[in-house]
């Protein structure tokens, strides 16, 4: 990402993303409280009405995501946020959003599991986020911010992407990113792009136009199959046009760490220490997890022969990295799940091992 | 000279439905279409049809509609109406949808006083999935999952939704009607009209529970099924108005 200029303020991640939504023209928020993202609904409960929007605390995450779907039918920019257990409850609704081809933004400030788990940071939901999560053959585009600025920027961007593809977009953070404070510029760096939606929204059949029906169930020989091909074609476009990543210190690197989100922050600290000791380590940080930067990682593995995947789980993204790299380079893994944070020393030791 | 005394409402599409002979959905659809015509609201109405026999409602009602997941019609309707308060929003739900899997959404939408109309078809079984027990199945009633008859001890008794919903804060209107003869169809029509009128006047949650025969799953002839509704169902689910806040004289009354 290019350096941003503007007024910096010290702000919490959860608040930055909520303000990113407001700046993106989000008109409705529906959600249910869960730590570590409560600052999102608390902020939007006063901020959205201030800009003429609607805030409603729903009776559950199941209800939240279906309220999101209802608002999306009207073409309004709409979002929800939650944390891992709540996102699990939303999966049926996210599948419906994908099948109905409706734009919506969903934020997951991950907390650890499985089960009730705890409120510590984790990246345990990588598979759920990148493989669709709910039932059926669909994908959600997944943005992975690694700092408070990106929480603002990616949430802002998520609304444009949701409208562009008429698809649910996930912003995947974690308990650290949501709750930490950092200086950030809470102004967008580009104007938002909201397409004309009047061709498909449910407005009531105006001026005698034929009825519209938005659904995911299609009877008739081959029609449901065709919907899945249509979706696939959309995912192909995302894979072609929406891959985002941040690559640093790789030009002279003998090895590189591949990490996203909070894990990438730890990687950066380790890389600075390694370089102080004369070990040339680079960073590759996916900013979209779906679509995954397969091609960029493949070309990296042509040049850098030792790669360490660092995650806050016991090994999820590493499967995608191995698929990208094949036998071009050695791929090591280090991860700590459920609130265990890898120390810089641990990471340096793993780099030595490679 | 001949005068037309009866015609298909304009908002009802001219085609044969997939519903079984004797099923109440066709009649209920027609009554909803008549209300839409009467108030001239086709161009601002959006219906929500969740999974259930009437998920294909869009085939028959000539208005904008959305499908919803089983049980989530009232959450979707909440989103629609909150995002665009100018819409006239209605849900069309079965008993499995409204009283079992979607019970939480039902109670909370009613309690919040969501400004929507709920058409609630109580047919005492799960129609679409083949006649399993519903939350409204009568005690002793045999279904494909209560082959010996529903027992209070094992499955609990039937849920009387109108009685449960009426006392909630946000409910403006709550009535239970039936479709087993022409007189009752006329009453049902009046109730549905009233529910839409309440929304047009900015009132709160308006629900019409409609007792309806699922002929196929009751394994009865259409006539016997109507008699069963009139007799057995009405005993468990008494007809009548359970709440009408417009009657207190806000000028809303039909
Ligand atoms: C999550 C989920 N569970 C179960 C189903 C299967 N299912 C579809 S409709 C239905 C029950 C329908 O009964 P009711 O709501 O009473 O409507 P009817 O068909 O009788 O009109 C069920 C269990 C589903 N579609 N989704």
């Amino acid at each position: 990402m290019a350096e941003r200029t503007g007024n910096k303020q010290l702000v919490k991640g959860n608040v930055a993303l909520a303000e990113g939504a407001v700046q993106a023209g989000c008109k409705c928020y529906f959600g249910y409280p869960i730590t570590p993202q409560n600052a999102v609904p608390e902020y939007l409960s006063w901020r959205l009405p201030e800009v003429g929007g609607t805030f409603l605390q729903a009776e559950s995450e199941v209800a939240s995501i279906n309220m999101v779907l209802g608002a999306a039918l009207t073409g309004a920019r709409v979002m929800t946020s939650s944390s891992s257990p709540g996102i699990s409850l939303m999966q049926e609704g996210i599948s419906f959003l994908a099948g109905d081809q409706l734009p919506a933004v969903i934020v997951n400030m991950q907390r650890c599991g499985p089960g009730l788990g705890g409120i510590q940071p984790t990246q345990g939901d990588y598979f759920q986020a990148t493989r669709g999560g709910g039932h059926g053959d669909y994908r959600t585009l997944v943005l992975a911010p690694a700092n408070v600025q990106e929480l603002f920027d990616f949430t802002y961007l998520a609304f444009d992407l949701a409208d562009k593809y008429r698809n649910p977009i996930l912003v995947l953070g974690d308990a650290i990113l949501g709750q930490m404070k950092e200086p950030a510029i809470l102004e967008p760096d580009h104007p938002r792009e909201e397409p004309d939606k009047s061709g498909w929204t449910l407005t009531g059949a105006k001026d005698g136009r034929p009825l519209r029906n938005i659904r995911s169930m299609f009877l008739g020989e081959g029609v449901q199959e065709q919907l899945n091909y249509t979706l696939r074609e959309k995912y192909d476009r995302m894979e072609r046009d929406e891959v985002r990543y941040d690559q640093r210190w790789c030009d002279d690197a003998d090895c590189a760490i591949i990490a996203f989100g909070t894990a990438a922050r730890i990687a950066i600290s380790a890389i600075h220490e390694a370089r102080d000791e004369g070990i040339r380590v680079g960073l590759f940080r996916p900013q979209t997890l779906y679509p995954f930067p397969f091609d960029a990682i493949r070309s990296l593995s042509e040049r850098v022969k030792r790669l360490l995947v660092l995650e806050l789980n016991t090994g999820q993204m590493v499967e995608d990295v191995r698929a990208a790299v094949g036998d071009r380079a050695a791929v090591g893994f280090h991860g700590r799940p459920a609130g265990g944070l890898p120390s810089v020393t641990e990471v340096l030791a793993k780099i030595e091992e490679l | 000279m001949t005068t037309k005394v009866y015609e298909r409402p304009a908002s009802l599409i001219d085609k044969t439905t997939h519903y079984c002979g004797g099923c109440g959905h066709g009649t209920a659809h027609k009554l909803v279409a008549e209300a839409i015509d009467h108030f001239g609201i086709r161009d601002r109405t959006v219906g929500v049809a969740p999974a259930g026999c009437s998920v294909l409602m869009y085939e028959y009602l000539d208005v904008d509609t959305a499908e919803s997941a089983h049980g989530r019609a009232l959450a979707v309707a909440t989103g629609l109406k909150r995002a665009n308060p100018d819409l006239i929003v209605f849900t069309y739900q079965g008993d499995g949808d409204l009283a079992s899997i979607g019970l939480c959404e039902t109670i909370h939408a009613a309690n919040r006083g969501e400004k929507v109309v709920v058409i609630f078809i109580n047919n005492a079984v799960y129609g679409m999935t083949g006649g399993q027990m519903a939350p409204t199945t009568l005690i002793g009633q045999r279904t494909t999952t209560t082959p010996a008859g529903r027992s209070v001890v094992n499955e609990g008794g039937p849920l009387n939704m109108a009685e449960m919903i009426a006392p909630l804060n946000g409910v403006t209107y709550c009535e239970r009607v039936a479709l087993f003869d022409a007189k009752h169809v006329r009453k049902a029509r009046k109730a549905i009209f009233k529910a839409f009128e309440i929304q047009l006047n900015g009132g709160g949650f308006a629900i019409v529970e409609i007792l309806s025969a699922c002929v196929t799953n009751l394994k009865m002839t259409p006539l016997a099924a109507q008699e069963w509704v009139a007799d057995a169902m009405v005993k468990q689910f008494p007809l009548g108005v359970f709440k009408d806040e417009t009657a207190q004289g806000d000028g809303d009354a039909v």
Side-chain angles (χ1 to χ4, degrees):
Chain A
M1 288 224 94
E3 267 308 307
R4 296 279 311 267
T5 53
N7 275 332
K8 279 202 170 148
Q9 45 184 296
L10 190 63
V11 62
K12 218 185 212 189
N14 282 325
V15 170
L17 84 84
E19 183 57 28
V22 172
Q23 302 281 327
C26 174
K27 277 286 171 285
C28 300
Y29 174 96
F30 305 97
Y32 188 83
I34 183 169
T35 308
Q37 59 79 59
N38 291 323
V40 179
E42 285 165 5
Y43 182 81
L44 291 174
S45 68
W46 61 267
R47 183 73 173 106
L48 268 181
E50 201 176 72
V51 293
T54 296
F55 171 90
L56 183 63
Q57 180 169 323
E59 59 270 33
S60 71
E61 291 86 351
V62 175
S64 312
I65 195 70
N66 286 286
M67 291 175 183
V68 164
L69 189 148
L73 292 166
T74 70
R77 286 197 155 179
V78 54
M79 80 176 291
T80 185
S81 63
S82 185
S83 180
S84 308
I87 298 291
S88 291
L89 275 181
M90 290 183 191
Q91 291 303 329
E92 184 198 30
I94 298 174
S95 169
F96 270 69
L97 285 165
D100 286 358
Q101 304 204 61
L102 290 172
V105 174
I106 300 139
V107 176
N108 179 4
M109 282 298 164
Q110 297 169 89
R111 55 186 263 177
C112 58
L116 189 54
I119 57 172
Q120 298 95 327
T122 177
Q123 295 179 331
D125 301 349
Y126 178 90
F127 283 150
Q128 185 198 56
T130 58
R131 268 60 180 173
H135 62 286
D137 195 0
Y138 76 95
R139 297 288 191 283
T140 49
L141 198 149
V142 185
L143 296 167
N147 52 55
V148 172
Q149 185 66 59
E150 283 187 347
L151 274 171
F152 175 89
D153 289 339
F154 287 8
T155 305
Y156 178 84
L157 171 71
F159 285 89
D160 283 0
L161 292 172
D163 280 339
K164 180 173 174 188
Y165 292 99
R166 284 180 59 185
N167 203 66
I169 310 292
L170 243 67
V171 179
L172 191 68
D174 65 56
I176 290 184
L177 289 173
Q179 294 175 294
M180 67 191 241
K181 278 190 172 180
E182 255 181 359
I185 300 162
L186 301 189
E187 293 151 25
D189 60 354
H190 62 277
R192 61 182 207 238
E193 288 167 28
E194 191 165 358
D196 175 22
K197 298 173 212 174
S198 62
W200 61 267
T201 48
L202 300 189
T203 55
K206 300 261 178 272
D207 305 320
R209 72 152 163 76
L211 68 86
R212 286 181 186 156
N213 173 256
I214 295 190
R215 64 184 186 278
S216 57
M217 183 181 88
F218 294 88
L219 304 178
E221 181 84 21
V223 188
Q224 193 78 31
E225 183 178 357
Q226 191 48 53
L227 168 70
N228 279 257
Y229 293 135
T230 304
L231 294 179
R232 182 64 244 178
E233 186 269 333
K234 180 157 82 177
Y235 307 144
D236 287 343
R237 273 190 287 131
M238 288 183 192
E239 289 181 11
R240 192 191 62 210
D241 298 338
E242 304 300 343
V243 173
R244 288 171 169 78
Y245 57 87
D246 171 21
Q247 188 167 230
R248 289 191 232 170
W249 311 297
C250 283
D251 291 346
D252 68 342
D254 300 315
C255 58
I257 301 178
I258 303 179
F260 70 94
T262 292
R265 301 173 69 97
I266 300 169
I268 290 171
S269 302
I271 290 165
H272 288 318
E273 281 206 19
R275 285 194 168 254
D276 286 347
E277 289 168 28
I279 311 165
R280 292 193 304 252
V281 186
L283 174 75
F284 187 97
R285 178 169 72 89
Q287 292 169 311
T288 52
L289 303 180
Y290 178 82
F292 191 71
F294 283 106
D295 291 343
I297 291 179
R298 191 173 304 121
S299 18
L300 177 69
S301 69
E302 307 279 1
R303 292 180 283 118
V304 182
K305 293 299 169 189
R306 292 180 299 150
L307 302 170
L308 176 71
V309 178
L310 183 67
E311 297 183 70
L312 304 187
N313 57 45
T314 57
Q316 298 194 21
M317 181 179 70
V318 64
E319 292 190 5
D320 288 336
V321 173
R322 291 209 168 103
V325 171
D327 53 10
R328 287 180 203 83
V331 177
F333 173 76
H334 184 57
R336 289 191 50 184
L341 290 176
S343 67
V344 167
T345 328
E346 261 172 60
V347 178
L348 291 175
K350 284 284 166 185
I351 289 174
E352 302 276 305
E353 270 174 36
L354 278 176
Chain B
M1 264 279 294
T2 50
T3 350
K4 205 178 236 182
V5 292
Y6 180 83
E7 66 181 329
R8 179 178 52 79
S11 299
L12 191 70
I13 298 168
D14 187 10
K15 65 157 83 148
T16 309
T17 75
H18 72 290
Y19 299 119
C20 313
C23 166
H25 278 311
T27 307
H29 282 12
K30 187 193 75 179
L31 300 180
V32 170
E34 286 179 351
I36 291 165
D37 286 1
H38 175 80
F39 294 109
I41 50 174
R42 175 181 181 265
D43 63 352
R44 49 191 288 225
T45 296
V46 178
V48 182
C53 282
S54 49
V55 71
L56 297 178
M57 184 176 78
Y58 62 87
E59 293 276 350
Y60 313 120
L61 284 186
D62 191 17
V63 294
D64 280 5
T65 49
E67 171 192 273
S68 108
H70 189 29
R72 312 304 159 216
L74 274 165
V76 172
T78 298
L80 273 163
K81 185 75 181 181
R82 296 263 181 163
N84 184 355
D86 293 337
L87 295 176
I88 299 298
V89 177
F90 75 94
T91 65
Y92 188 106
Q93 306 174 249
D95 41 53
D97 196 84
L98 181 135
S100 187
I101 192 169
L103 183 63
C104 183
E105 280 78 356
T106 303
I107 297 293
H108 284 280
N111 193 51
R112 285 192 304 265
E114 293 300 336
K115 296 174 169 49
V116 299
V117 169
V118 179
I119 307 297
F120 166 35
I121 307 292
N122 177 356
N123 61 7
V125 287
Y126 281 13
M128 190 188 215
T129 42
Q132 296 85 3
M133 182 187 73
T136 47
T137 293
L138 303 186
I139 295 164
Q141 186 185 335
R142 289 173 200 274
T143 70
T144 54
T145 49
T146 52
R150 179 178 190 161
S151 98
V152 182
V153 175
N154 202 45
E155 288 93 20
L159 287 179
N160 280 40
M161 291 312 297
E163 288 86 337
M164 203 186 282
I165 289 169
L168 297 171
N169 274 325
V171 179
T172 300
Y173 176 62
C174 176
E175 178 166 359
R176 184 183 287 125
V177 298
L179 301 174
F180 54 77
D181 63 22
K183 184 174 135 226
H184 284 87
V185 171
R186 276 198 301 278
K187 276 196 166 173
R189 182 175 186 273
K190 201 166 158 234
I192 291 171
F193 275 45
K194 176 152 187 156
F196 276 95
E197 186 175 45
I198 285 167
Q199 191 176 159
L200 277 159
N201 291 339
F205 197 79
I207 177 167
V208 182
E209 174 172 343
I210 303 176
L211 303 187
S212 171
C214 180
V215 174
T216 301
N217 287 303
L218 288 172
K219 300 185 173 62
M220 293 178 187
T221 62
L223 264 184
Q226 302 309 329
E227 275 162 23
W228 184 82
V229 173
D231 177 24
M233 268 191 97
V234 168
K235 275 202 193 86
Q236 173 66 39
F237 301 111
L239 305 180
V241 178
F242 291 84
K243 189 178 204 175
D244 181 0
E245 295 221 312
T246 66
Q248 268 99 57
D250 294 320
D252 281 335
V254 182

